Amino acid sequence: APGLVVIVEGHPMHLQVHGPDTSGPTVVLEAGMGSFSPNWYWVQSEMARTIRTVAYDRAGLGWSRPSRRQRDAQTIAMELRDALREAGIPPPYVLAGHSFGGLPIRAFADLYPGMTAGLGLVDASHPEQWVRWPRPRADRILEVSQRIASWLGWFGVLRALNLSRRISAGLPARQATELRAGAALPGYAATEAGQIRSWSVSREQLNAAAPLGDLPLAVLAVSEQPVGGELLTALQRELAELTENASFEIVQGASHESLISDRDHAGVVARTIMTVVQAAGDQE
């Protein structure tokens, strides 16, 4: 593991910590479905010039070992809290989540409002996404496909398919290779299946969450949506209504994956998260 490994609930969890320890909030980066810490390389590199940043691997992904606990948003958020505590990284935090990563950071803000200084939702998943998706039971189809992928992983099929190429396109060679190696492991797909299976639980948790008030929030959407673009953009606009202190932007030319793997698009993400850090500082 290239970063720091701590023990949470008996299993190792991996965090990449970069940047100076300043008096302001630490930025915590939560990766999307099918991804882990190297995917944040460009975003983290730019922000780490001035502030402390943490990109970590959820249990069962990257260098973090699997957890036997359910893969719902609140459980993931609690494991993240424990990992940050074990790593000696105190609050407050500005948390940014890409894709699926938006669910656990919202759960974190609900469970630990005193630790949360702001949120960045980076083309983040909406808890109602699968309920409102035009194709019925698309989430169950995705879960089954991940379970099949996990089985195929034992025979080396995932290594040959290189399923990470979409999320890693544009990253430096080392980070792209790390993502490819991680995606080839059988446990990787099994973890993803567990997250999808627990989506309905996460949905209930977030729908019951307390209002976020004037917590600083930035929502980024993308212009390039090959499927369901109108619905997905509408869901992003709804996320921008979570607080009274939110911004919303569509990053032109960016796709869901390139938003953090392409260096130019990642620069927009980094600068947007920094505005949340600044807004959090203004509220102190």
Side-chain angles (χ1 to χ4, degrees):
L4 174 67
V5 176
V6 298
I7 304 301
V8 174
E9 295 289 332
H11 64 276
M13 291 190 67
H14 172 247
L15 307 90
Q16 298 209 46
V17 185
H18 298 292
D21 183 6
T22 64
S23 59
T26 293
V27 172
V28 179
L29 303 169
E30 180 85 54
M33 185 76 72
S35 189
F36 51 103
S37 57
N39 208 178
W40 286 108
Y41 177 81
W42 293 127
V43 175
Q44 187 173 26
S45 295
E46 180 160 337
M47 290 191 299
R49 298 173 185 173
T50 55
I51 61 173
R52 183 164 60 177
T53 63
V54 180
Y56 89 109
D57 305 336
R58 288 190 296 276
L61 300 173
W63 291 274
S64 293
R65 304 306 300 163
S67 168
R68 295 183 178 180
R69 303 173 71 187
Q70 184 170 257
R71 295 292 85 205
D72 61 87
Q74 286 189 353
T75 298
I76 294 170
M78 289 187 286
E79 290 173 348
L80 172 58
R81 186 277 311 267
D82 291 346
L84 292 168
R85 182 176 57 196
E86 292 298 320
I89 303 171
Y93 311 115
V94 166
L95 300 107
H98 175 238
S99 190
F100 173 84
L103 303 184
I105 69 162
R106 285 184 56 191
F108 192 104
D110 183 52
L111 291 171
Y112 313 113
M115 298 182 180
T116 307
L119 295 177
L121 296 176
V122 184
D123 206 35
S125 297
H126 192 292
E128 300 287 338
Q129 177 175 313
W130 298 117
V131 175
R132 294 164 62 177
W133 198 252
R135 182 178 298 173
R137 301 184 65 82
D139 55 334
R140 295 306 174 200
I141 295 172
L142 182 58
E143 179 190 344
V144 170
S145 70
Q146 290 296 320
R147 297 229 171 265
I148 293 171
S150 176
W151 181 77
L152 293 174
W154 291 106
F155 301 94
V157 175
L158 301 184
R159 184 180 302 175
L161 292 176
N162 187 18
L163 299 178
S164 71
R165 57 182 175 274
R166 288 179 61 186
I167 63 173
S168 62
L171 290 171
R174 173 171 177 165
Q175 283 69 34
T177 302
E178 289 171 341
L179 287 170
R180 179 174 184 174
L185 299 174
Y188 176 94
T191 297
E192 298 301 284
Q195 292 171 164
I196 299 167
R197 186 177 64 252
S198 299
W199 195 295
S200 60
V201 178
S202 300
R203 173 174 170 263
E204 293 174 0
Q205 292 167 349
L206 295 177
N207 286 343
L212 294 174
D214 63 349
L215 185 74
L217 166 68
V219 177
L220 289 174
V222 299
S223 65
E224 308 306 304
Q225 296 278 19
V227 179
E230 186 174 333
L231 171 61
L232 292 172
T233 300
L235 293 174
Q236 295 301 308
R237 292 187 185 277
E238 288 183 14
L239 292 176
E241 299 173 359
L242 288 171
T243 81
E244 301 167 4
N245 187 13
S247 66
F248 175 80
E249 180 183 354
I250 297 176
V251 182
Q252 296 300 317
S255 69
H256 184 66
E257 294 83 9
S258 77
L259 191 54
I260 58 172
S261 65
D262 176 86
R263 190 171 189 174
D264 291 337
H265 297 156
V268 176
V269 174
R271 291 188 290 274
T272 300
I273 297 172
M274 290 298 293
T275 66
V276 178
V277 174
Q278 180 64 50
D282 292 342
Q283 287 189 339
E284 292 181 356

